[in-house]
Amino acid sequence: MYRLFAVFLVCTWTSLLFPQAKKDPALTKVPSQAEKEWCPVIRSALAESTKLPPAMRAFVLEKVSAGLSKCSPAKASRALLDAFTATLMIPEREEDVLARQRRNDPSDEDAMRAARANIETKNHLQTTVLTQLLAKDEARVQSLLPQAEPGVRNILLNRMISKAVEERRLNRALTLLKQSPQQQFPYGAATSLMLELTSSQEVEKQEIFQMAMAADHESHKLNIGGDDFAGMIVRFWKHLPPAVALSAISQVLDEAKSNEEQMSIGSGAKSANFSSEYEYRVFELLPILRELDDEEAERLSLESSDVQEQLKQFPNGIQSLNPAIRDTPTEKGESSSIRVMLGPSITPMLHESGLSDDYEHRVSEVVQLAEKDPKQAIAAANTLPDAEGNLAPRAQAMLRIAQAVAKTSPSAARDALGNMSESLKNVKPTERENYRDFCAEGIEIAMKIDEVDLAKKLLKQGISQAEGLEAIDNDADDPNLVLKAWWPSSAVLSRLVVAAMSISVQTALDSVAEISDPELRLLCQVRLANHQLNIPLGESRTMVWTSKSAWAVNRMETVN
């Protein structure tokens, strides 16, 4: 008995002195067939990422982290931390880029453009990685923020406040808000917090508004759609003493006078155009000013006949365009967002937008016809041009017809996809995303109607399109300076290999194997693995930064 007791004591003290390492939860459950097949791809990519340049390493590790959440959950946060560390190896810093920009040296133009592209890449990667980590470990994010770029710290602080608001930790949100530096005040998060405060918390609302007013006076920001200081005036002026509201309106109007950029704003089918920020601010704030100081409102109204005309159509200013911009939270299905075009000259963009709206209307009419008479709809779609600027109206109509009749008339869907394919042969590759998904979506429809050969034909055609776009991205005289993963050609290619999965897994793997660029090949392998592991893609970005063009499009992709 004593011997047994001694053994028990030895075992007990051994377990206390040398506790077993925690087991990876992924190892304690039976992996699914998809996990058996695709988790090795994720783990291999984790190892391969060490060979990548810093920006691409950070990008791939963020995607790998999503796969590890299924394959090795304990390693997911570590991958995000490594991704953030990789971003710190991108040499550009915001303060250095701003200093060079202030010097405005014409001989430095090419280097300046590259530096701005790199800091944009660095900032976006840091924002994405830290946002993913925020959902797992807020304390760790707070500890990393001092190393992040100033703009990133602002965005993450904004998201931390928003997270606290969503979790109804309003005191925590207010504490974080008070920590915000004036030059990086998070107007969006402040707005979210004020929307949640009750009628008994008017003092707190006014305190937040005064903080925002001081921040705007220190560093004016233009962010159309209700998430800047002027948007806070529109939402909350009834909660303020009239003198404070009038002072705030005066401040915004004074600050707007120096910005001569043209702009167009809209919501749904409604839009309004302005020749300067000042005109827009008068449009935005004049309805409030009429309630507070009718004499001053009349004076401002007489200054601008263009604003008068806009207000005849939209008497409540921006709230006529989108009534969801108000002092109460949006309801389910509502959005307070506003569509914006902004620049020194937006006339070409307005022209293209008008064309897009016109063709969208015509395409919608064709699709409605397809439900009754698919053949007639295809004939009508053939009257549309192959290309119009950056648009591909005929291909767009054919794809929409195929989507509409795939179940009811498979033969018509096949003919529409064939017509789409022929039309795209007459459309030059373009950096814009207007038709980048045509072949990928066509592949998926073709497989739904059992047209395997047609699907393979579209895959081949789509890869040819991606190669044409890659030639534009890789133009030696004017290359696309942003992260390769965001190139339009990369967006087309990665979307195509996922669509190829609907043909067969082997077809998709063969397509990936034929990618000559090792970085893109690894990226597509990770995307296929996450697709098969049923992990939502999240945000995807397409971006161009050249001497002739600079734009970015972010899309939330919730379905693989």
Side-chain angles (χ1 to χ4, degrees):
M1 177 176 177
Y2 291 111
R3 184 178 297 170
L4 287 174
F5 183 65
V7 171
F8 172 76
L9 284 176
V10 170
C11 292
T12 301
W13 280 107
T14 300
S15 65
L16 289 173
L17 291 171
F18 305 103
Q20 288 186 334
K22 292 182 179 179
K23 291 185 177 180
D24 187 333
L27 301 179
T28 63
K29 68 180 182 68
V30 178
S32 66
Q33 187 60 36
E35 289 167 355
K36 289 178 182 177
E37 293 175 358
W38 293 96
C39 283
V41 176
I42 293 294
R43 296 187 182 106
S44 174
L46 179 63
E48 288 292 314
S49 67
T50 59
K51 304 174 185 176
L52 298 174
M56 186 62 82
R57 188 188 318 157
F59 183 87
V60 169
L61 281 170
E62 188 265 324
K63 301 304 178 189
V64 164
S65 173
L68 289 173
S69 65
K70 281 277 185 77
C71 300
S72 300
K75 296 180 180 179
S77 292
R78 180 71 255 175
L80 289 173
L81 290 171
D82 289 344
F84 180 75
T85 300
T87 68
L88 299 178
M89 298 175 68
I90 301 171
E92 281 75 15
R93 297 187 305 166
E94 273 185 29
E95 58 191 52
D96 297 333
V97 173
L98 289 173
R100 290 174 67 175
Q101 192 170 326
R102 282 192 292 269
R103 288 198 297 270
N104 197 24
D105 182 357
S107 65
D108 194 38
E109 186 176 335
D110 290 343
M112 183 66 221
R113 186 166 55 252
R116 288 174 60 201
N118 287 340
I119 197 62
E120 170 67 21
T121 297
K122 184 178 186 177
N123 282 6
H124 189 82
L125 288 171
Q126 287 189 348
T127 300
T128 302
V129 168
L130 292 177
T131 298
Q132 296 297 323
L133 190 58
L134 182 62
K136 303 174 184 292
D137 191 343
E138 183 173 330
R140 181 59 65 90
V141 170
Q142 279 195 283
S143 72
L144 295 174
L145 278 183
Q147 301 176 66
E149 293 299 316
V152 177
R153 294 199 293 270
N154 179 34
I155 293 171
L156 264 294
L157 187 59
N158 195 319
R159 291 182 180 174
M160 289 166 67
I161 296 168
S162 297
K163 183 171 181 277
V165 171
E166 289 170 9
E167 296 170 354
R168 303 296 300 168
R169 295 182 294 142
L170 302 187
N171 289 335
R172 166 68 172 163
L174 185 57
T175 298
L176 288 170
L177 189 62
K178 290 178 178 178
Q179 296 173 9
S180 305
Q182 282 191 337
Q183 291 185 335
Q184 298 162 1
F185 189 81
Y187 297 97
T191 297
S192 298
L193 176 55
M194 289 178 72
L195 289 171
E196 294 297 333
L197 295 175
T198 66
S199 58
S200 64
Q201 295 172 299
E202 293 295 299
V203 172
E204 287 83 353
K205 288 181 184 179
Q206 292 178 20
E207 180 185 8
I208 295 170
F209 187 88
Q210 291 285 3
M211 291 165 57
M213 188 170 176
D216 179 74
H217 180 71
E218 178 72 19
S219 178
H220 175 60
K221 295 289 192 300
L222 170 62
N223 186 11
I224 296 170
D227 284 344
D228 60 4
F229 179 56
M232 296 176 74
I233 299 172
V234 172
R235 288 180 186 269
F236 302 113
W237 67 272
K238 292 181 180 178
H239 302 264
L240 306 170
V244 173
L246 285 169
S247 179
I249 290 171
S250 177
Q251 175 177 304
V252 170
L253 292 176
D254 285 343
E255 292 166 339
K257 290 177 181 177
S258 61
N259 185 357
E260 296 298 324
E261 286 188 307
Q262 298 175 21
M263 61 188 69
S264 175
I265 64 172
S267 178
K270 299 178 289 187
S271 64
N273 305 321
F274 307 96
S275 62
S276 66
E277 182 187 347
Y278 181 76
E279 271 198 2
Y280 165 67
R281 293 305 191 189
V282 173
F283 170 83
E284 183 180 32
L285 299 171
L286 194 61
I288 301 166
L289 197 56
R290 283 176 176 153
E291 299 289 332
L292 297 171
D293 187 341
D294 190 56
E295 184 176 331
E296 178 65 9
E298 183 63 22
R299 185 187 69 79
L300 287 177
S301 179
L302 292 173
E303 280 184 357
S304 176
S305 57
D306 290 341
V307 174
Q308 284 187 51
E309 289 302 311
Q310 300 280 20
L311 286 169
K312 286 179 182 177
Q313 186 178 0
F314 307 112
N316 291 323
I318 197 167
Q319 290 179 309
S320 290
L321 285 165
N322 191 338
I325 299 174
R326 57 176 186 261
D327 62 351
T328 56
T330 54
E331 297 178 359
K332 188 175 181 180
E334 276 190 318
S335 171
S336 60
S337 64
I338 290 287
R339 185 177 64 252
V340 181
M341 291 183 191
L342 182 68
S345 177
I346 62 171
T347 302
M349 289 189 285
L350 288 173
H351 174 70
E352 184 174 316
S353 177
L355 279 176
S356 181
D357 291 343
D358 178 52
Y359 282 120
E360 179 61 35
H361 177 70
R362 293 170 66 180
V363 167
S364 296
E365 289 180 337
V366 168
V367 173
Q368 289 179 356
L369 178 60
E371 296 171 0
K372 301 175 183 176
D373 190 336
K375 288 185 178 181
Q376 190 176 347
I378 290 173
N382 274 320
T383 66
L384 296 172
D386 289 317
E388 186 71 58
N390 284 323
L391 306 175
R394 184 180 300 183
Q396 182 185 4
M398 293 299 180
L399 179 64
R400 295 270 298 276
I401 291 170
Q403 290 169 333
V405 303
K407 290 183 179 180
T408 57
S409 182
S411 61
R414 179 197 63 218
D415 293 343
L417 290 176
N419 277 274
M420 180 194 77
S421 175
E422 289 301 310
S423 178
L424 287 175
K425 292 177 182 178
N426 302 317
V427 180
K428 293 181 180 179
T430 171
E431 63 182 22
R432 291 290 184 180
E433 65 164 357
N434 288 302
Y435 72 94
R436 77 171 198 211
D437 285 343
F438 282 8
C439 287
E441 293 181 20
I443 290 167
E444 291 162 354
I445 296 170
M447 290 309 299
K448 288 177 182 176
I449 58 176
D450 297 323
E451 293 286 343
V452 179
D453 289 341
L454 177 56
K456 290 180 177 179
K457 175 184 175 182
L458 291 170
L459 176 60
K460 184 177 179 181
Q461 184 174 7
I463 290 174
S464 177
Q465 287 179 348
E467 290 170 350
L469 286 169
E470 185 180 12
I472 298 173
D473 285 321
N474 261 326
D475 184 351
D477 295 327
D478 193 14
N480 191 356
L481 297 173
V482 299
L483 181 67
K484 190 187 300 179
W486 297 335
W487 287 0
S489 56
S490 303
V492 171
L493 190 60
S494 62
R495 177 74 175 85
L496 280 168
V497 297
V498 171
M501 295 289 278
S502 62
I503 301 174
S504 72
V505 172
Q506 192 57 51
T507 299
L509 291 174
D510 290 343
S511 297
V512 172
E514 291 174 3
I515 298 172
S516 58
D517 188 306
E519 295 178 12
L520 290 181
R521 187 165 60 245
L522 180 62
L523 176 61
C524 287
Q525 288 169 349
V526 173
R527 180 158 183 177
L528 283 183
N530 283 347
H531 175 274
Q532 292 302 94
L533 292 167
N534 201 30
I535 293 169
L537 294 176
E539 183 186 79
S540 68
R541 163 170 270 212
T542 308
M543 190 173 183
V544 166
W545 200 305
T546 67
S547 65
K548 300 174 184 175
S549 183
W551 57 270
V553 174
N554 298 325
R555 299 194 303 180
M556 288 304 299
E557 300 185 42
T558 56
V559 180
N560 272 312

